[in-house]
Amino acid sequence: FLNNGHYYLLYAVVRHYLLHYGTPTYQADSTSHHEASIGRVTRYTADPATNFVTTLADSRKILIGESISTGIPLYHESHGVGTLLFGTDGTLLLSAGDGNSNAGADIGGEDFGSYANQALADGIISADENIGSFKSQYLGSLCGKVLRIDPETGDGIASNPFYDNANPRSAQSRTWVYGFRNPFRMSLIENTGSHHPEDADPGTLFIGDVGASQWEELNIADQGGLNFGWPLKEGLIPFWGFWGADHPENKLAPNPLYNGSSCTKEYFDFKDLFAEARSDGDIVFENPCDPSQAIPAAAFPNMETTPTLSWGHNEWNLPPKTYIGNFNDEGKITYLDISAPESPVESEVFVGNSSITGNFYQGDNFPAYYKGKYFHRDYSGWIKVFHFDENNQLTKVEPFHDDSRSLIH
């Protein structure tokens, strides 16, 4: 910043501004609510001549969302834009929620009060994005992702896992990791990552994913291309409203066996391309038209990355429960209560209602015991200290504060 004066903003655009700015109908004091809009990333430049306390005129540059059809789709009043931070390698990382209704299993249209039809009519989304929460699994959407972009251009980084040389500004090219409901807050762990963008290692991210009605999550992303499962999974459990539903087609994943007669599945659906975790990682994605043939790698089939920890919602998932991932004798993912005798994590059972992530404490104001420990907060109020080993394996969770809201005056 002291060299270039750049600062960056991630925000939801007021719909009235989005539609009318620069026209005779625009009024600077007008706003609108409960309608579709977009998330935007902009860069401004502070003026070194004023010691960076003013902004240079005409320095605004839009990196994401330069038009109504290129922003992060927002068509409900939740699950919008989240955190903006720099990777160790100088790339810009940002989180975005699935952008649609929080009232039920939204698979497109205006069920559960979303504004999808308005977003479709405006061009905020295209028809292939009108798939509700499945946008989190769709590489054609910016929603439900952590994005990694060039802070100069807003393009995706060439070392991103799904980068398309022909379209560096596509959602696919910008995606780093995906499968989130609402990754409202995330932190980059200090002293992790490379200083070179081409190494595909911006650093390790700790991501709090806000759950629907059952589970809150802490997720760790130490590499690109990871799929954290939403909306097919919430925590370690299949989410009933999406797992058993009719799954939308993934229009970026055509089925090469489609012929209109013996194979009528023109595109793979999102469950075809998703596999629950296995201990050996040995997954064969079978083509539904011919199980002897694998789904091509170009369709990006992917095995889930399970949360490091999931805890039950304190109103809708009782009695209290806290789960870590566990593999059964067949190598399939299941769950283990954190208080079970065989649990590798020392902790009591706890609940919450909105995972907000945290930071590793590096200061000197607390006792030395806490230095280097990870502090995580939940919107219900608690702060807990999470102990990790050198491989980011969770070993212990202990209470720190029961109601941090009482600290705010």
Side-chain angles (χ1 to χ4, degrees), residues 7 68 146 153 257 349 398:
Y7 64 93
I68 195 170
V146 172
T153 65
L257 300 185
V349 171
E398 60 182 335

Side-chain angles (χ1 to χ4, degrees), residues 130-377:
N130 189 15
I131 52 178
S133 291
F134 280 98
K135 294 193 304 299
S136 297
Q137 290 289 316
Y138 185 43
L139 295 176
S141 173
L142 296 169
C143 294
K145 315 286 193 304
V146 172
L147 309 174
R148 178 173 176 249
I149 62 173
D150 186 323
E152 293 292 328
T153 65
D155 291 353
I157 306 297
S159 58
N160 282 350
F162 311 109
Y163 186 78
D164 178 3
N165 282 304
N167 194 358
R169 298 186 70 77
S170 67
Q172 176 176 314
S173 289
R174 288 164 159 166
T175 295
W176 181 242
V177 291
Y178 65 115
F180 299 104
R181 181 175 184 264
N182 187 11
F184 180 58
R185 290 291 178 261
M186 64 179 181
S187 301
L188 185 85
I189 306 311
E190 292 185 34
N191 302 316
T192 62
S194 165
H195 290 280
H196 306 287
E198 61 271 21
D199 291 342
D201 186 10
T204 298
L205 293 169
F206 275 45
I207 306 163
D209 196 15
V210 180
S213 60
Q214 298 290 305
W215 299 101
E216 302 300 319
E217 297 180 13
L218 170 62
N219 296 292
I220 299 177
D222 57 2
Q223 61 182 301
L226 303 179
N227 180 355
F228 289 93
W230 177 260
L232 291 165
K233 298 287 289 287
E234 184 189 18
L236 291 154
I237 313 296
F239 189 84
W240 61 270
F242 294 107
W243 189 267
D246 291 332
H247 303 103
E249 294 179 327
N250 183 333
K251 291 300 179 65
L252 290 179
N255 186 349
L257 300 185
Y258 170 75
N259 55 24
S261 54
S262 61
C263 178
T264 58
K265 192 160 195 170
E266 187 173 2
Y267 296 92
F268 299 114
D269 66 45
F270 292 97
K271 200 171 180 183
D272 294 330
L273 301 170
F274 178 84
E276 292 188 274
R278 290 188 57 91
S279 58
D280 58 8
D282 187 15
I283 302 291
V284 176
F285 291 88
E286 299 175 348
N287 192 310
C289 286
D290 183 354
S292 69
Q293 296 196 41
I295 292 175
F300 297 118
N302 208 345
M303 184 180 73
E304 69 169 325
T305 297
T306 57
T308 295
L309 189 66
S310 59
W311 52 97
H313 196 282
N314 59 8
E315 293 183 40
W316 304 312
N317 190 6
L318 297 174
K321 48 186 79 74
T322 309
Y323 287 166
I324 56 175
N326 189 44
F327 293 101
N328 63 21
D329 292 342
E330 297 177 350
K332 297 179 180 179
I333 190 64
T334 180
Y335 51 86
L336 180 65
D337 191 288
I338 201 168
S339 64
E342 63 271 32
S343 170
V345 179
E346 179 186 346
S347 175
E348 62 184 12
V349 171
F350 59 90
V351 294
N353 61 31
S354 184
S355 177
I356 306 183
T357 200
N359 276 292
F360 280 85
Y361 181 69
Q362 301 296 344
D364 296 314
N365 292 324
F366 289 175
Y369 171 79
Y370 291 114
K371 194 157 189 175
K373 301 297 192 300
Y374 175 75
F375 284 70
H376 190 98
R377 183 171 184 260

